[in-house]
Amino acid sequence: MSLIIKDTNFSKVAGALSNLTGTHCIQNIVDTILQISNFKSKTLKNIDTAGDIYGPFDPKRHIKLENLFVDMDYQRPIRLRKIINKITNAGGFDKYAAGHIDVAYRGDRGFDWDGLRRAIMAGICGAKWIPVSVFIHKRGESEKRMKEIEAKMFKVRNADSETMKPEEIFKSKVVYREPKALALLDVLIDSKLDVEGLNPHGKPLGGFKILESELDKKVKEDYIVSASNLIQEIWSDEPNVSVYLLVGLAKFLELNEELDNAKSDDELEDDFYDYVNKDKDKKIKQTGFTSSRLNSKPIESVAYFIAKNVVKLNGNKDKFIGMLKLSDDEIDNIEDLN
């Protein structure tokens, strides 16, 4: 038995599973979960784990979990608590509702490209094999190309699912090398930001959909990179970069360039540092810049806050605010939120 992590603590096992990358055997994932203290006797107390869920093994219809693999490079993260809740709320594993899982064969190894959670739930409840629908890659395809094909099938199957987050869809697009997704990944890398572990050395982006939808429409790539650098310099102690502050600051930086006496990078950093640390006993967090935003115009709202309260624009303040094209009512609403 090979475990993902050898530990009986729920939190540590859940953490290890949620951060999995690369290729793993499904049975190893199941065994890693089953080692948790009191898991069988307490968590699965009223669940039938007899192990005969699918009857006798039929090699034409079933695949053993010990022979089934998953490529986490395009899959959604494994959220153990959600998986357990589904089992306990349903009173067990319903093989009829679960149906079969989809397996793509890379040579002689089967990869679960859709149905990972169902396979894990079946394994937790004692199953050693599960019914499959089979896809066979063309002979001679590279490992990289087979991964791309599976990722695209996964995205097509799951993109409209209410449970699939934009970040997860983006991750699968990157794996099958959709041009727009790769271009956005380049922006994240240049900005030292991470989404779904695609740039593991970057700081996690707290929110993604806004950046994906507004990049190039309201904010430009170069300013996103500059904004991220400034945010990470000023808030090096915070674990994430706020997407609202990122895009709002990027819009500010873009409009700043249109001013006759544009603020330099050093001047901007000094202004931010002075504002954030004006109260020596309590540093202002990123949320202090984004809490008064309008839902209808979050980018303009944050840029307005920066122009009015943070950066010393001197005689350019009114001109800058005018360039944001906010109505008087919208400005009043932002002020009311402060």
Side-chain angles (χ1 to χ4, degrees):
M1 179 173 65
S2 179
L3 302 176
I4 304 300
I5 179 177
K6 190 175 182 180
D7 203 299
T8 60
N9 180 272
F10 180 92
S11 296
K12 290 184 178 179
V13 170
L17 294 180
S18 69
N19 290 302
L20 277 187
T21 59
T23 297
H24 297 274
C25 173
I26 300 294
Q27 188 63 58
N28 291 347
I29 293 173
V30 171
D31 291 339
T32 298
I33 296 169
L34 293 177
Q35 73 174 324
I36 295 172
S37 297
N38 301 320
F39 189 81
K40 292 181 180 179
S41 60
K42 187 175 180 180
T43 307
L44 301 181
K45 181 178 179 181
N46 299 313
I47 304 299
D48 181 9
T49 56
D52 58 352
I53 296 173
Y54 292 107
F57 176 70
D58 181 347
K60 294 181 180 179
R61 298 190 304 113
H62 299 146
I63 187 171
K64 292 183 178 180
L65 298 187
E66 65 183 19
N67 297 325
L68 180 61
F69 296 83
V70 62
D71 191 330
M72 293 304 300
D73 288 348
Y74 62 80
Q75 289 281 346
R76 287 173 283 175
I78 298 172
R79 306 298 185 195
L80 182 55
R81 177 59 66 189
K82 287 187 176 181
I83 290 174
I84 292 172
N85 287 344
K86 280 190 175 183
I87 293 174
T88 54
N89 290 341
F93 180 74
D94 187 337
K95 67 178 182 180
Y96 299 107
H100 62 259
I101 63 168
D102 291 281
V103 175
Y105 272 90
R106 303 181 187 178
D108 60 354
R109 289 211 301 175
F111 281 79
D112 183 347
W113 67 264
D114 190 62
L116 171 61
R117 283 142 196 80
R118 282 172 281 150
I120 292 173
M121 286 191 286
I124 288 174
C125 291
K128 295 299 181 183
W129 48 81
I130 193 167
V132 295
S133 174
V134 172
F135 169 85
I136 300 176
H137 287 288
K138 293 179 181 178
R139 183 178 298 179
E141 292 277 22
S142 67
E143 189 82 6
K144 177 175 175 290
R145 179 57 184 154
M146 289 188 285
K147 183 199 295 269
E148 291 172 2
I149 291 169
E150 292 167 21
K152 187 167 187 177
M153 292 192 297
F154 174 80
K155 180 260 180 183
V156 171
R157 175 72 63 81
N158 293 284
D160 294 329
S161 169
E162 292 181 2
T163 60
M164 194 169 184
K165 299 187 296 184
E167 293 90 340
E168 295 165 345
I169 297 172
F170 171 64
K171 180 180 178 180
S172 68
K173 287 179 178 179
V174 167
V175 173
Y176 74 76
R177 303 191 68 76
E178 183 197 75
K180 285 186 177 181
L182 292 176
L184 180 49
L185 178 60
D186 285 340
V187 175
L188 292 171
I189 292 172
D190 290 343
S191 303
K192 302 181 182 68
L193 294 170
D194 177 47
V195 170
E196 289 291 310
L198 292 168
N199 183 30
H201 298 297
K203 181 165 284 192
L205 178 63
F208 170 76
K209 189 175 182 179
I210 293 293
L211 176 61
E212 184 181 40
S213 62
E214 300 299 342
L215 189 63
D216 289 331
K217 185 168 65 175
K218 285 191 176 182
V219 291
K220 306 298 181 185
E221 175 182 329
D222 289 347
Y223 298 108
I224 288 291
V225 175
S226 297
S228 180
N229 288 337
L230 179 55
I231 292 169
Q232 294 193 51
E233 179 67 30
I234 298 296
W235 288 279
S236 59
D237 56 333
E238 291 196 22
N240 301 305
V241 169
S242 163
V243 72
Y244 287 112
L245 179 54
L246 179 72
V247 294
L249 177 54
K251 172 54 68 175
F252 176 92
L253 296 176
E254 180 182 353
L255 296 181
N256 173 63
E257 294 291 333
E258 298 182 23
L259 299 176
D260 294 334
N261 297 306
K263 302 281 285 192
S264 68
D265 291 345
D266 288 342
E267 289 174 323
L268 288 169
E269 185 174 331
D270 287 343
D271 287 347
F272 266 79
Y273 182 85
D274 290 345
Y275 181 82
V276 168
N277 295 284
K278 63 181 181 178
D279 184 345
K280 294 182 179 180
D281 296 324
K282 188 176 182 181
K283 181 178 180 179
I284 297 175
K285 296 183 178 181
Q286 293 180 61
T287 52
F289 286 65
T290 62
S291 58
S292 59
R293 69 182 185 273
L294 300 178
N295 291 331
S296 58
K297 289 190 175 180
I299 296 173
E300 294 85 350
S301 300
V302 175
Y304 172 85
F305 180 91
I306 294 170
K308 186 172 185 297
N309 301 293
V310 183
V311 176
K312 302 176 180 69
L313 289 173
N314 303 319
N316 283 315
K317 182 176 292 187
D318 290 340
K319 179 180 180 181
F320 185 95
I321 292 174
M323 289 192 293
L324 288 172
K325 298 180 180 178
L326 291 166
S327 70
D328 291 341
D329 287 342
E330 287 170 334
I331 289 175
D332 288 342
N333 290 334
I334 294 172
E335 292 292 344
D336 288 342
L337 292 171
N338 280 314

